[in-house]
Amino acid sequence: MSPSDLGQLLKPFVFLDIFSAGGATLRMMEEMPLHPHSGIATVTVFTEGRMRFNDPANGTGTIGYGGVEWMRAGGGVWHGKEMTPDEVPRIQGFQLWLSLPAELENGEPVSRYIEAKDMPQAGPAHVIVGQHAGVHSPVPAPEGINYLLVTLRAGERWTYQPPKGHAVGWLALAKGSLLADGRIEAGEMVVFESGDAAIELEASGATDAVFVLGSAVPHPHPLHLGYYSVHTSAQALANGERRIAELARKLQEAGDRRTESGTIPVFR
């Protein structure tokens, strides 16, 4: 999903990428270039493997299944090397972008690395963003957004009841297969009908079904798109891109910021 296609329909969810790497490709992840964002929050979860983080403002640790990297870009950041692969054979996960409300889109950036042991769970779901079944996520996200990481054992059934007003709903499957109104296979993303009706799911294959599911109150603003930025107005986008350019100059002046573990903390 990108902001120019399904993101228009599913905002505040505007971008979703499933990534997978092993062997030489896993080592190449450490060579990803720094890049900027503004106007959005990024949410990164892992369905397999784990990554290390090392940030003077947030400490050190590992993010694996059930944990999350939350990065609210706000008025502008440069990032892309704040985590490095741990000693694992393979990494798989999802990166999601959320469009921010007008009062936050050019605000101060915020980063959080929350390990799996500190993330709450409601049944088979880790509550990454928002609240579900009386369980609240520690991620400092805007109101009206739920994002869950779920594993259903083979044959297990589960029902998700979106909160009232969550008319946007979708699901993306990383592993296994699911039955909803039809069959969903690994690598597929499905969009549910507008409304807050219950979503009934069953893991239909011989293996576990691992997926992410999002629901939200619809984002009321048009999307103004930059290359790495999403804003609610042309003026807000111009402000974000101006700040990104300023940060690029300061980043060059800052020189080598690489930590001993090989990470480069988010530059704000």
Side-chain angles (χ1 to χ4, degrees), residues 44-46 48-55 58-70 82-88 91 112-119 261 263:
T44 306
V45 297
F46 298 95
E48 184 176 344
R50 59 190 178 272
M51 301 276 279
R52 299 188 301 267
F53 66 90
N54 184 346
D55 187 321
N58 292 282
T60 61
T62 58
I63 304 293
Y65 180 90
V68 62
E69 181 202 9
W70 163 266
E82 65 268 30
M83 292 194 289
T84 57
D86 203 354
E87 296 178 1
V88 293
I91 291 219
R112 294 285 187 275
Y113 303 88
I114 305 175
E115 297 185 83
K117 63 182 177 60
D118 298 316
M119 289 297 293
S261 62
T263 64

mmCIF file of all heavy atoms in Angstrom, residues 44-46 48-55 58-70 82-88 91 112-119 261 263:
data_model
loop_
_atom_site.group_PDB
_atom_site.id
_atom_site.type_symbol
_atom_site.label_atom_id
_atom_site.label_comp_id
_atom_site.label_asym_id
_atom_site.label_seq_id
_atom_site.Cartn_x
_atom_site.Cartn_y
_atom_site.Cartn_z
ATOM 1 N N THR A 44 7.178 -0.165 13.000
ATOM 2 C CA THR A 44 7.881 -1.332 12.483
ATOM 3 C C THR A 44 7.756 -2.491 13.455
ATOM 4 O O THR A 44 8.100 -2.358 14.635
ATOM 5 C CB THR A 44 9.368 -1.014 12.244
ATOM 6 O OG1 THR A 44 9.479 0.144 11.409
ATOM 7 C CG2 THR A 44 10.070 -2.175 11.570
ATOM 8 N N VAL A 45 7.228 -3.626 12.954
ATOM 9 C CA VAL A 45 7.108 -4.845 13.752
ATOM 10 C C VAL A 45 7.737 -6.001 12.982
ATOM 11 O O VAL A 45 7.876 -5.937 11.756
ATOM 12 C CB VAL A 45 5.636 -5.173 14.084
ATOM 13 C CG1 VAL A 45 5.009 -4.086 14.937
ATOM 14 C CG2 VAL A 45 4.806 -5.411 12.824
ATOM 15 N N PHE A 46 8.094 -7.055 13.722
ATOM 16 C CA PHE A 46 8.765 -8.203 13.126
ATOM 17 C C PHE A 46 7.937 -9.461 13.338
ATOM 18 O O PHE A 46 7.434 -9.707 14.440
ATOM 19 C CB PHE A 46 10.158 -8.370 13.725
ATOM 20 C CG PHE A 46 11.050 -7.187 13.461
ATOM 21 C CD1 PHE A 46 11.170 -6.171 14.394
ATOM 22 C CD2 PHE A 46 11.713 -7.057 12.256
ATOM 23 C CE1 PHE A 46 11.955 -5.062 14.151
ATOM 24 C CE2 PHE A 46 12.501 -5.951 11.991
ATOM 25 C CZ PHE A 46 12.626 -4.951 12.938
ATOM 26 N N GLU A 48 9.381 -12.387 12.197
ATOM 27 C CA GLU A 48 10.441 -13.389 12.329
ATOM 28 C C GLU A 48 11.759 -12.668 12.536
ATOM 29 O O GLU A 48 12.008 -11.618 11.934
ATOM 30 C CB GLU A 48 10.504 -14.259 11.075
ATOM 31 C CG GLU A 48 11.508 -15.401 11.155
ATOM 32 C CD GLU A 48 11.482 -16.299 9.933
ATOM 33 O OE1 GLU A 48 10.503 -16.230 9.166
ATOM 34 O OE2 GLU A 48 12.454 -17.057 9.738
ATOM 35 N N GLY A 49 12.624 -13.233 13.383
ATOM 36 C CA GLY A 49 13.920 -12.619 13.642
ATOM 37 C C GLY A 49 13.812 -11.416 14.573
ATOM 38 O O GLY A 49 12.766 -11.164 15.178
ATOM 39 N N ARG A 50 14.899 -10.674 14.681
ATOM 40 C CA ARG A 50 14.922 -9.518 15.584
ATOM 41 C C ARG A 50 16.045 -8.572 15.164
ATOM 42 O O ARG A 50 16.997 -8.966 14.493
ATOM 43 C CB ARG A 50 15.101 -9.949 17.043
ATOM 44 C CG ARG A 50 16.361 -10.738 17.306
ATOM 45 C CD ARG A 50 16.389 -11.362 18.697
ATOM 46 N NE ARG A 50 17.614 -12.144 18.854
ATOM 47 C CZ ARG A 50 17.715 -13.432 18.510
ATOM 48 N NH1 ARG A 50 16.683 -14.084 18.012
ATOM 49 N NH2 ARG A 50 18.866 -14.078 18.688
ATOM 50 N N MET A 51 15.908 -7.315 15.592
ATOM 51 C CA MET A 51 16.881 -6.268 15.297
ATOM 52 C C MET A 51 17.350 -5.643 16.603
ATOM 53 O O MET A 51 16.604 -5.592 17.592
ATOM 54 C CB MET A 51 16.259 -5.197 14.406
ATOM 55 C CG MET A 51 15.736 -5.693 13.065
ATOM 56 S SD MET A 51 17.009 -5.805 11.798
ATOM 57 C CE MET A 51 17.115 -4.095 11.273
ATOM 58 N N ARG A 52 18.587 -5.125 16.584
ATOM 59 C CA ARG A 52 19.149 -4.435 17.736
ATOM 60 C C ARG A 52 19.005 -2.928 17.550
ATOM 61 O O ARG A 52 19.132 -2.416 16.444
ATOM 62 C CB ARG A 52 20.624 -4.783 17.909
ATOM 63 C CG ARG A 52 20.909 -6.252 18.145
ATOM 64 C CD ARG A 52 22.388 -6.460 18.500
ATOM 65 N NE ARG A 52 23.265 -5.982 17.437
ATOM 66 C CZ ARG A 52 23.738 -6.731 16.453
ATOM 67 N NH1 ARG A 52 23.403 -7.999 16.377
ATOM 68 N NH2 ARG A 52 24.547 -6.216 15.546
ATOM 69 N N PHE A 53 18.760 -2.225 18.646
ATOM 70 C CA PHE A 53 18.772 -0.766 18.609
ATOM 71 C C PHE A 53 19.754 -0.243 19.636
ATOM 72 O O PHE A 53 20.028 -0.888 20.659
ATOM 73 C CB PHE A 53 17.364 -0.176 18.837
ATOM 74 C CG PHE A 53 16.790 -0.417 20.220
ATOM 75 C CD1 PHE A 53 17.001 0.486 21.254
ATOM 76 C CD2 PHE A 53 16.025 -1.541 20.479
ATOM 77 C CE1 PHE A 53 16.478 0.272 22.517
ATOM 78 C CE2 PHE A 53 15.485 -1.771 21.741
ATOM 79 C CZ PHE A 53 15.714 -0.854 22.760
ATOM 80 N N ASN A 54 20.294 0.941 19.357
ATOM 81 C CA ASN A 54 21.240 1.598 20.255
ATOM 82 C C ASN A 54 21.063 3.098 20.034
ATOM 83 O O ASN A 54 21.474 3.628 19.012
ATOM 84 C CB ASN A 54 22.678 1.159 19.947
ATOM 85 C CG ASN A 54 23.684 1.741 20.915
ATOM 86 O OD1 ASN A 54 23.378 2.665 21.663
ATOM 87 N ND2 ASN A 54 24.894 1.207 20.901
ATOM 88 N N ASP A 55 20.397 3.748 20.971
ATOM 89 C CA ASP A 55 20.039 5.156 20.823
ATOM 90 C C ASP A 55 20.302 5.850 22.153
ATOM 91 O O ASP A 55 19.746 5.450 23.174
ATOM 92 C CB ASP A 55 18.565 5.275 20.438
ATOM 93 C CG ASP A 55 18.142 6.691 20.106
ATOM 94 O OD1 ASP A 55 18.604 7.626 20.778
ATOM 95 O OD2 ASP A 55 17.330 6.868 19.186
ATOM 96 N N ASN A 58 17.241 6.514 24.041
ATOM 97 C CA ASN A 58 16.299 5.422 24.310
ATOM 98 C C ASN A 58 16.960 4.144 24.807
ATOM 99 O O ASN A 58 16.275 3.137 24.991
ATOM 100 C CB ASN A 58 15.498 5.115 23.045
ATOM 101 C CG ASN A 58 14.550 6.231 22.663
ATOM 102 O OD1 ASN A 58 13.486 6.371 23.251
ATOM 103 N ND2 ASN A 58 14.931 7.049 21.688
ATOM 104 N N GLY A 59 18.268 4.130 24.991
ATOM 105 C CA GLY A 59 18.934 2.943 25.489
ATOM 106 C C GLY A 59 19.228 1.927 24.402
ATOM 107 O O GLY A 59 19.226 2.241 23.209
ATOM 108 N N THR A 60 19.489 0.698 24.814
ATOM 109 C CA THR A 60 19.819 -0.387 23.888
ATOM 110 C C THR A 60 18.891 -1.562 24.143
ATOM 111 O O THR A 60 18.301 -1.697 25.212
ATOM 112 C CB THR A 60 21.270 -0.843 24.067
ATOM 113 O OG1 THR A 60 21.440 -1.337 25.409
ATOM 114 C CG2 THR A 60 22.241 0.295 23.826
ATOM 115 N N GLY A 61 18.769 -2.434 23.150
ATOM 116 C CA GLY A 61 17.935 -3.619 23.313
ATOM 117 C C GLY A 61 17.671 -4.261 21.974
ATOM 118 O O GLY A 61 18.323 -3.957 20.964
ATOM 119 N N THR A 62 16.705 -5.183 21.960
ATOM 120 C CA THR A 62 16.339 -5.885 20.732
ATOM 121 C C THR A 62 14.830 -5.814 20.532
ATOM 122 O O THR A 62 14.058 -5.827 21.495
ATOM 123 C CB THR A 62 16.772 -7.360 20.765
ATOM 124 O OG1 THR A 62 16.172 -8.016 21.894
ATOM 125 C CG2 THR A 62 18.281 -7.492 20.848
ATOM 126 N N ILE A 63 14.438 -5.724 19.274
ATOM 127 C CA ILE A 63 13.030 -5.745 18.900
ATOM 128 C C ILE A 63 12.791 -7.005 18.075
ATOM 129 O O ILE A 63 13.365 -7.181 16.996
ATOM 130 C CB ILE A 63 12.641 -4.502 18.062
ATOM 131 C CG1 ILE A 63 12.988 -3.216 18.808
ATOM 132 C CG2 ILE A 63 11.161 -4.557 17.699
ATOM 133 C CD1 ILE A 63 12.186 -2.962 20.050
ATOM 134 N N GLY A 64 11.958 -7.893 18.602
ATOM 135 C CA GLY A 64 11.546 -9.087 17.880
ATOM 136 C C GLY A 64 10.036 -9.152 17.824
ATOM 137 O O GLY A 64 9.349 -8.132 17.952
ATOM 138 N N TYR A 65 9.497 -10.352 17.641
ATOM 139 C CA TYR A 65 8.044 -10.506 17.550
ATOM 140 C C TYR A 65 7.374 -9.961 18.813
ATOM 141 O O TYR A 65 7.742 -10.316 19.931
ATOM 142 C CB TYR A 65 7.676 -11.981 17.365
ATOM 143 C CG TYR A 65 6.178 -12.186 17.267
ATOM 144 C CD1 TYR A 65 5.556 -12.154 16.027
ATOM 145 C CD2 TYR A 65 5.402 -12.383 18.406
ATOM 146 C CE1 TYR A 65 4.181 -12.317 15.928
ATOM 147 C CE2 TYR A 65 4.024 -12.538 18.317
ATOM 148 C CZ TYR A 65 3.419 -12.500 17.077
ATOM 149 O OH TYR A 65 2.057 -12.654 16.981
ATOM 150 N N GLY A 66 6.397 -9.101 18.616
ATOM 151 C CA GLY A 66 5.667 -8.507 19.738
ATOM 152 C C GLY A 66 6.180 -7.152 20.154
ATOM 153 O O GLY A 66 5.478 -6.420 20.857
ATOM 154 N N GLY A 67 7.409 -6.800 19.761
ATOM 155 C CA GLY A 67 7.945 -5.481 20.061
ATOM 156 C C GLY A 67 7.690 -4.525 18.909
ATOM 157 O O GLY A 67 7.146 -4.901 17.862
ATOM 158 N N VAL A 68 8.110 -3.269 19.074
ATOM 159 C CA VAL A 68 7.828 -2.274 18.044
ATOM 160 C C VAL A 68 8.852 -1.147 18.086
ATOM 161 O O VAL A 68 9.348 -0.771 19.149
ATOM 162 C CB VAL A 68 6.408 -1.687 18.225
ATOM 163 C CG1 VAL A 68 6.264 -0.965 19.554
ATOM 164 C CG2 VAL A 68 6.030 -0.744 17.079
ATOM 165 N N GLU A 69 9.185 -0.643 16.896
ATOM 166 C CA GLU A 69 9.836 0.653 16.787
ATOM 167 C C GLU A 69 8.780 1.651 16.331
ATOM 168 O O GLU A 69 8.181 1.500 15.258
ATOM 169 C CB GLU A 69 10.984 0.654 15.768
ATOM 170 C CG GLU A 69 11.658 2.031 15.694
ATOM 171 C CD GLU A 69 12.408 2.307 14.404
ATOM 172 O OE1 GLU A 69 12.294 1.512 13.449
ATOM 173 O OE2 GLU A 69 13.099 3.338 14.346
ATOM 174 N N TRP A 70 8.542 2.679 17.148
ATOM 175 C CA TRP A 70 7.617 3.753 16.820
ATOM 176 C C TRP A 70 8.447 5.004 16.575
ATOM 177 O O TRP A 70 9.262 5.385 17.409
ATOM 178 C CB TRP A 70 6.645 3.978 17.976
ATOM 179 C CG TRP A 70 5.914 5.291 17.957
ATOM 180 C CD1 TRP A 70 6.277 6.451 18.594
ATOM 181 C CD2 TRP A 70 4.694 5.600 17.272
ATOM 182 N NE1 TRP A 70 5.355 7.446 18.365
ATOM 183 C CE2 TRP A 70 4.374 6.945 17.541
ATOM 184 C CE3 TRP A 70 3.834 4.858 16.452
ATOM 185 C CZ2 TRP A 70 3.240 7.569 17.027
ATOM 186 C CZ3 TRP A 70 2.711 5.479 15.938
ATOM 187 C CH2 TRP A 70 2.419 6.806 16.235
ATOM 188 N N GLU A 82 18.885 3.063 12.337
ATOM 189 C CA GLU A 82 18.807 3.051 13.801
ATOM 190 C C GLU A 82 18.697 1.651 14.384
ATOM 191 O O GLU A 82 18.796 1.468 15.600
ATOM 192 C CB GLU A 82 17.640 3.909 14.292
ATOM 193 C CG GLU A 82 16.261 3.407 13.909
ATOM 194 C CD GLU A 82 15.761 3.991 12.614
ATOM 195 O OE1 GLU A 82 16.595 4.307 11.726
ATOM 196 O OE2 GLU A 82 14.534 4.129 12.472
ATOM 197 N N MET A 83 18.520 0.626 13.531
ATOM 198 C CA MET A 83 18.533 -0.758 13.990
ATOM 199 C C MET A 83 19.415 -1.585 13.067
ATOM 200 O O MET A 83 19.531 -1.288 11.869
ATOM 201 C CB MET A 83 17.119 -1.337 14.021
ATOM 202 C CG MET A 83 16.227 -0.719 15.079
ATOM 203 S SD MET A 83 14.703 -1.662 15.382
ATOM 204 C CE MET A 83 13.804 -1.338 13.863
ATOM 205 N N THR A 84 20.041 -2.609 13.615
ATOM 206 C CA THR A 84 20.848 -3.534 12.832
ATOM 207 C C THR A 84 20.389 -4.961 13.132
ATOM 208 O O THR A 84 19.910 -5.253 14.231
ATOM 209 C CB THR A 84 22.349 -3.414 13.176
ATOM 210 O OG1 THR A 84 22.529 -3.645 14.583
ATOM 211 C CG2 THR A 84 22.881 -2.040 12.821
ATOM 212 N N PRO A 85 20.525 -5.877 12.177
ATOM 213 C CA PRO A 85 20.080 -7.252 12.413
ATOM 214 C C PRO A 85 20.834 -7.908 13.557
ATOM 215 O O PRO A 85 22.049 -7.736 13.700
ATOM 216 C CB PRO A 85 20.380 -7.951 11.079
ATOM 217 C CG PRO A 85 20.433 -6.854 10.064
ATOM 218 C CD PRO A 85 20.990 -5.673 10.787
ATOM 219 N N ASP A 86 20.104 -8.635 14.374
ATOM 220 C CA ASP A 86 20.729 -9.446 15.415
ATOM 221 C C ASP A 86 21.269 -10.722 14.761
ATOM 222 O O ASP A 86 21.158 -10.905 13.544
ATOM 223 C CB ASP A 86 19.698 -9.765 16.508
ATOM 224 C CG ASP A 86 20.353 -10.082 17.832
ATOM 225 O OD1 ASP A 86 21.594 -10.164 17.887
ATOM 226 O OD2 ASP A 86 19.628 -10.256 18.829
ATOM 227 N N GLU A 87 21.819 -11.610 15.555
ATOM 228 C CA GLU A 87 22.394 -12.843 15.020
ATOM 229 C C GLU A 87 21.271 -13.843 14.760
ATOM 230 O O GLU A 87 21.033 -14.787 15.530
ATOM 231 C CB GLU A 87 23.430 -13.400 15.988
ATOM 232 C CG GLU A 87 24.636 -12.467 16.153
ATOM 233 C CD GLU A 87 25.651 -13.003 17.145
ATOM 234 O OE1 GLU A 87 25.427 -14.102 17.689
ATOM 235 O OE2 GLU A 87 26.653 -12.322 17.379
ATOM 236 N N VAL A 88 20.578 -13.640 13.650
ATOM 237 C CA VAL A 88 19.448 -14.491 13.254
ATOM 238 C C VAL A 88 19.609 -14.820 11.769
ATOM 239 O O VAL A 88 20.219 -14.063 11.015
ATOM 240 C CB VAL A 88 18.095 -13.777 13.489
ATOM 241 C CG1 VAL A 88 17.840 -13.587 14.974
ATOM 242 C CG2 VAL A 88 18.041 -12.429 12.767
ATOM 243 N N ILE A 91 15.023 -12.296 8.692
ATOM 244 C CA ILE A 91 14.179 -11.251 9.278
ATOM 245 C C ILE A 91 12.977 -11.057 8.362
ATOM 246 O O ILE A 91 13.127 -11.018 7.136
ATOM 247 C CB ILE A 91 14.957 -9.928 9.427
ATOM 248 C CG1 ILE A 91 16.016 -10.089 10.479
ATOM 249 C CG2 ILE A 91 14.031 -8.762 9.679
ATOM 250 C CD1 ILE A 91 16.271 -8.964 11.380
ATOM 251 N N ARG A 112 10.356 5.714 19.950
ATOM 252 C CA ARG A 112 10.230 4.749 21.036
ATOM 253 C C ARG A 112 10.618 3.369 20.509
ATOM 254 O O ARG A 112 10.224 2.977 19.421
ATOM 255 C CB ARG A 112 8.797 4.684 21.568
ATOM 256 C CG ARG A 112 8.299 5.943 22.243
ATOM 257 C CD ARG A 112 8.909 6.119 23.636
ATOM 258 N NE ARG A 112 8.303 7.239 24.340
ATOM 259 C CZ ARG A 112 8.681 8.497 24.213
ATOM 260 N NH1 ARG A 112 9.697 8.790 23.409
ATOM 261 N NH2 ARG A 112 8.070 9.458 24.880
ATOM 262 N N TYR A 113 11.403 2.654 21.294
ATOM 263 C CA TYR A 113 11.720 1.255 21.018
ATOM 264 C C TYR A 113 11.160 0.458 22.192
ATOM 265 O O TYR A 113 11.637 0.605 23.323
ATOM 266 C CB TYR A 113 13.226 1.029 20.906
ATOM 267 C CG TYR A 113 13.889 1.887 19.856
ATOM 268 C CD1 TYR A 113 14.349 3.173 20.162
ATOM 269 C CD2 TYR A 113 14.057 1.419 18.559
ATOM 270 C CE1 TYR A 113 14.964 3.961 19.204
ATOM 271 C CE2 TYR A 113 14.674 2.209 17.596
ATOM 272 C CZ TYR A 113 15.123 3.483 17.928
ATOM 273 O OH TYR A 113 15.719 4.265 16.973
ATOM 274 N N ILE A 114 10.156 -0.362 21.939
ATOM 275 C CA ILE A 114 9.488 -1.080 23.011
ATOM 276 C C ILE A 114 9.658 -2.572 22.768
ATOM 277 O O ILE A 114 9.204 -3.107 21.750
ATOM 278 C CB ILE A 114 7.995 -0.706 23.103
ATOM 279 C CG1 ILE A 114 7.843 0.818 23.237
ATOM 280 C CG2 ILE A 114 7.344 -1.403 24.289
ATOM 281 C CD1 ILE A 114 6.409 1.302 23.212
ATOM 282 N N GLU A 115 10.358 -3.243 23.681
ATOM 283 C CA GLU A 115 10.634 -4.662 23.524
ATOM 284 C C GLU A 115 9.381 -5.488 23.803
ATOM 285 O O GLU A 115 8.435 -5.041 24.447
ATOM 286 C CB GLU A 115 11.772 -5.074 24.439
ATOM 287 C CG GLU A 115 13.086 -4.369 24.101
ATOM 288 C CD GLU A 115 14.254 -4.870 24.928
ATOM 289 O OE1 GLU A 115 14.836 -5.906 24.545
ATOM 290 O OE2 GLU A 115 14.569 -4.243 25.949
ATOM 291 N N ALA A 116 9.383 -6.712 23.302
ATOM 292 C CA ALA A 116 8.198 -7.565 23.385
ATOM 293 C C ALA A 116 7.735 -7.764 24.825
ATOM 294 O O ALA A 116 6.529 -7.800 25.090
ATOM 295 C CB ALA A 116 8.496 -8.914 22.734
ATOM 296 N N LYS A 117 8.663 -7.855 25.758
ATOM 297 C CA LYS A 117 8.282 -8.096 27.153
ATOM 298 C C LYS A 117 7.488 -6.937 27.741
ATOM 299 O O LYS A 117 6.803 -7.100 28.758
ATOM 300 C CB LYS A 117 9.534 -8.355 27.994
ATOM 301 C CG LYS A 117 10.508 -7.186 28.055
ATOM 302 C CD LYS A 117 11.749 -7.530 28.861
ATOM 303 C CE LYS A 117 12.765 -6.398 28.876
ATOM 304 N NZ LYS A 117 12.233 -5.157 29.467
ATOM 305 N N ASP A 118 7.570 -5.780 27.115
ATOM 306 C CA ASP A 118 6.872 -4.599 27.619
ATOM 307 C C ASP A 118 5.619 -4.259 26.820
ATOM 308 O O ASP A 118 4.979 -3.233 27.082
ATOM 309 C CB ASP A 118 7.820 -3.389 27.609
ATOM 310 C CG ASP A 118 9.026 -3.598 28.507
ATOM 311 O OD1 ASP A 118 8.833 -4.088 29.632
ATOM 312 O OD2 ASP A 118 10.154 -3.283 28.077
ATOM 313 N N MET A 119 5.273 -5.109 25.856
ATOM 314 C CA MET A 119 4.091 -4.866 25.032
ATOM 315 C C MET A 119 2.929 -5.721 25.525
ATOM 316 O O MET A 119 3.081 -6.920 25.761
ATOM 317 C CB MET A 119 4.382 -5.182 23.568
ATOM 318 C CG MET A 119 5.312 -4.189 22.902
ATOM 319 S SD MET A 119 4.624 -2.518 22.817
ATOM 320 C CE MET A 119 3.278 -2.770 21.676
ATOM 321 N N SER A 261 27.781 -0.376 18.103
ATOM 322 C CA SER A 261 27.053 -1.540 17.588
ATOM 323 C C SER A 261 26.707 -1.399 16.116
ATOM 324 O O SER A 261 26.130 -2.302 15.532
ATOM 325 C CB SER A 261 25.781 -1.756 18.404
ATOM 326 O OG SER A 261 24.921 -0.634 18.294
ATOM 327 N N THR A 263 24.753 1.038 14.708
ATOM 328 C CA THR A 263 23.541 1.796 14.424
ATOM 329 C C THR A 263 23.869 3.287 14.294
ATOM 330 O O THR A 263 24.888 3.759 14.780
ATOM 331 C CB THR A 263 22.493 1.617 15.535
ATOM 332 O OG1 THR A 263 23.020 2.172 16.756
ATOM 333 C CG2 THR A 263 22.163 0.153 15.752
#
